[in-house]
Amino acid sequence: NPHDVAAGLGYILASVVQRQCEERAARNKKIFWVTVNPKPTMKFTDLKYLIDKFMKRSSVKNGAYTFEIRGEERGVYHGYHAHMLFDKASNIAPSQIHRELSKLFKDNVIYKAIDVRVYNHGLRSDKIAYLEGTKWDDDKQESIEATRRWRKSQKLDDYYTT
């Protein structure tokens, strides 16, 4: 029946167009990767409170975050920082995230201590692996183990999701 063939072709065409639209949207989807390095004078409990508060905002979708100790020199650790990952809404610029965090942290961070980057959504699984402690730099293995011991002593999870 010609009507059945036309209807079938229409269905196939509609599904192809829908799949192309979904693929285009996935390619255009972005994520925020944010690192906050507080001043050494900030207490960890204050950092955790502010990061938890920020990640619970309604504008943060599909979020994950972690806390790590800082060490620029092998075996010497002082301070801590946080990494956050969440979906980027199309209408939110990196500068807006930076401004919101600067306002939230007030004078507990210096301007360049908040790093906001935008990546393609395809890197999300790599960033989750980073939050879980998978680093690609062999020199960081000692620091990863030190961070794990520190998290355990602070009764922290490896990472949190929202």
Side-chain angles (χ1 to χ4, degrees), residues 6-22:
L9 287 175
Y11 175 78
I12 291 169
L13 181 59
S15 65
V16 166
V17 169
Q18 180 180 355
R19 188 174 68 243
Q20 286 175 337
C21 289
E22 289 170 356

Side-chain angles (χ1 to χ4, degrees), residues 50-57 60 63-65 84-86 162:
L50 292 174
I51 295 294
D52 287 343
K53 181 178 178 178
F54 179 82
M55 292 300 288
K56 289 177 183 165
R57 298 170 70 125
V60 173
Y65 60 106
M84 297 175 279
L85 170 69
F86 52 97
T162 60

Side-chain angles (χ1 to χ4, degrees), residues 18 35 76 79 83 91-92:
Q18 180 180 355
T35 302
V76 179
H83 294 294
N91 62 336
I92 297 179

Side-chain angles (χ1 to χ4, degrees), residues 34-154:
V34 181
T35 302
V36 175
N37 282 297
K39 288 181 178 177
T41 54
M42 184 177 202
K43 289 190 273 179
F44 175 72
T45 52
D46 295 336
L47 171 69
K48 185 173 183 324
Y49 172 79
L50 292 174
I51 295 294
D52 287 343
K53 181 178 178 178
F54 179 82
M55 292 300 288
K56 289 177 183 165
R57 298 170 70 125
S58 62
S59 61
V60 173
K61 303 282 189 229
N62 214 7
Y65 60 106
T66 194
F67 302 96
E68 297 179 346
I69 55 174
R70 184 182 310 117
E72 286 83 34
E73 191 179 318
R74 192 176 194 107
V76 179
Y77 304 102
H78 52 83
Y80 26 76
H81 59 280
H83 294 294
M84 297 175 279
L85 170 69
F86 52 97
D87 289 348
K88 180 189 180 303
S90 60
N91 62 336
I92 297 179
S95 59
Q96 183 177 344
I97 297 298
H98 193 283
R99 210 171 21 258
E100 290 175 14
L101 284 166
S102 295
K103 196 182 299 184
L104 185 64
F105 276 85
K106 298 184 173 117
D107 61 350
N108 286 303
V109 293
I110 54 175
Y111 182 79
K112 293 187 183 211
I114 298 173
D115 183 40
V116 181
R117 297 180 186 220
V118 177
Y119 293 106
N120 286 327
H121 195 269
L123 288 176
R124 183 177 176 78
S125 59
D126 289 348
K127 295 301 182 186
I128 291 289
Y130 189 95
L131 294 176
E132 291 172 335
T134 303
K135 310 284 195 267
W136 296 271
D137 184 353
D138 286 340
D139 290 343
K140 292 200 171 205
Q141 292 309 310
E142 182 181 318
S143 132
I144 291 167
E145 290 307 315
T147 291
R148 286 187 176 134
R149 288 190 301 272
W150 173 76
R151 283 187 195 132
K152 189 174 183 179
S153 74
Q154 298 294 313

